[in-house]
Structures are given as structure tokens and as C-alpha cells.
Amino acid sequence: MESLFGSGEELSMVQMGMRAFIMFMVALFLVRLGGIRILGRKSGVDFVIIIMLGSVLARGIVGASPFMSTVFAGAVMIMVNKILAQVSARLPYLGNLVKGKPAVLYKNDQIQWDQMDRLGVSRTDLLTSLRLETHSKHLDEVDIAFMEPNGRISFTLKTKA
């Protein structure tokens, strides 16, 4: 049976296109509601939210789940993320539990091989980050190096006397 929009397959294509457009706008709104943090410094929690939000909202686009239910589930995830971020900022021990703590990779002129091995970081990885972050090639200029919870390696350089 033909409709104003054409065959059933064409109607389904138009409907999915409209769902995709609306879900894009919903996702943009939810990410903006979640705050810039989701887009910037990504911790494990941020990646989980991004993956889950994409997965849930995709179900609404293809019609695998009711549209409004997927929008509601996405909104709940963003609210939980915001609440966790606010509570973690006030309770550092919870923040460490949720986001992780920095690990020392280099201190006292020594590479901390136990931490490097535990985290799967090679000497090459450490030196690459040193060049990218500090524009230095030499670890002897470094006071301490951390693997941050977001996966980046940060450096504090020795003070020059």
C-alpha cells in the first residue's frame, strides 16, 4: 500500500531519519547538560557515560526501544554522572574510588618499574610523554612523573638553582 511518503520502506527510512535528527538534538542537549567535563578531560567514568549514552540513544533511533524511554534513560545517565562528579568533588575518597588516583612513575631520579609494569607503560611511553608535555628529552630534569587518572602522564620539573 502506497502512502503520501511512498512505500513502507521509504516511510521507514524517513521515520528513521527523523528519529536520528531528533535524537541528535536530544544527545547534544544531554551532553551540554552534562557539562564541558564530559568533552574535555576524559576519565574512565566519562568514557563509560559516552559509550552507554551512545548505545542507549542509538536504540531510540532504530526503534529497538521506545523513543521516550531511551531519552529518559539518557537523561538519567547524565544526571547520575553530574551527581557523581559533584559528590566526588566534595568527598575526595569517593573521587579516588570513582575516578582513580595518580600513580607515581618516576621520582628521586628513578623510574618506578613496579608501577610502570602494573600500568603497562614502557620507558618509550614515558619519554614520549616527556617530550610532548615538557619539550625536554632528559629525565634528569624531572622531579616527579605521574600517570594521571585520565591516562595522561604529567611531569613536575626540578627547580633550577
Side-chain angles (χ1 to χ4, degrees):
M1 180 174 146
E2 294 270 329
S3 72
L4 183 62
F5 297 105
S7 69
E9 187 175 320
E10 290 170 348
L11 180 59
S12 176
M13 188 170 58
V14 169
Q15 182 182 27
M16 190 174 291
M18 289 302 297
R19 284 173 161 257
F21 173 76
I22 292 167
M23 198 58 81
F24 175 83
M25 300 307 284
V26 167
L28 182 60
F29 172 76
L30 291 174
V31 168
R32 297 292 297 153
L33 181 67
I36 195 72
R37 188 180 174 283
I38 290 176
L39 301 174
R41 308 165 287 139
K42 290 182 184 61
S43 67
V45 174
D46 298 322
F47 278 114
V48 168
I49 290 294
I50 290 167
I51 291 166
M52 287 182 63
L53 187 61
S55 176
V56 166
L57 296 183
R59 295 185 60 77
I61 292 172
V62 298
S65 297
F67 188 81
M68 290 309 295
S69 295
T70 59
V71 171
F72 180 73
V76 168
M77 285 189 285
I78 293 298
M79 288 300 123
V80 167
N81 186 48
K82 282 189 76 85
I83 290 167
L84 269 177
Q86 290 174 351
V87 172
S88 294
R90 289 177 178 80
L91 303 172
Y93 66 89
L94 181 63
N96 290 340
L97 183 66
V98 171
K99 298 176 197 171
K101 297 189 308 189
V104 177
L105 301 180
Y106 181 86
K107 72 176 180 181
N108 300 329
D109 296 321
Q110 297 285 320
I111 293 177
Q112 306 300 302
W113 289 110
D114 58 329
Q115 293 290 354
M116 298 273 285
D117 290 340
R118 183 178 70 83
L119 296 167
V121 178
S122 69
R123 186 175 199 284
T124 302
D125 295 334
L126 184 65
L127 293 174
T128 299
S129 289
L130 177 67
R131 288 189 304 274
L132 291 171
E133 298 293 325
T134 68
H135 306 288
S136 174
K137 296 179 187 176
H138 307 286
L139 280 171
D140 59 355
E141 298 175 16
V142 174
D143 183 39
I144 192 164
F146 294 98
M147 170 68 82
E148 301 295 346
N150 66 3
R152 291 185 66 179
I153 299 174
S154 65
F155 300 89
T156 302
L157 299 178
K158 293 177 180 174
T159 55
K160 295 180 182 177

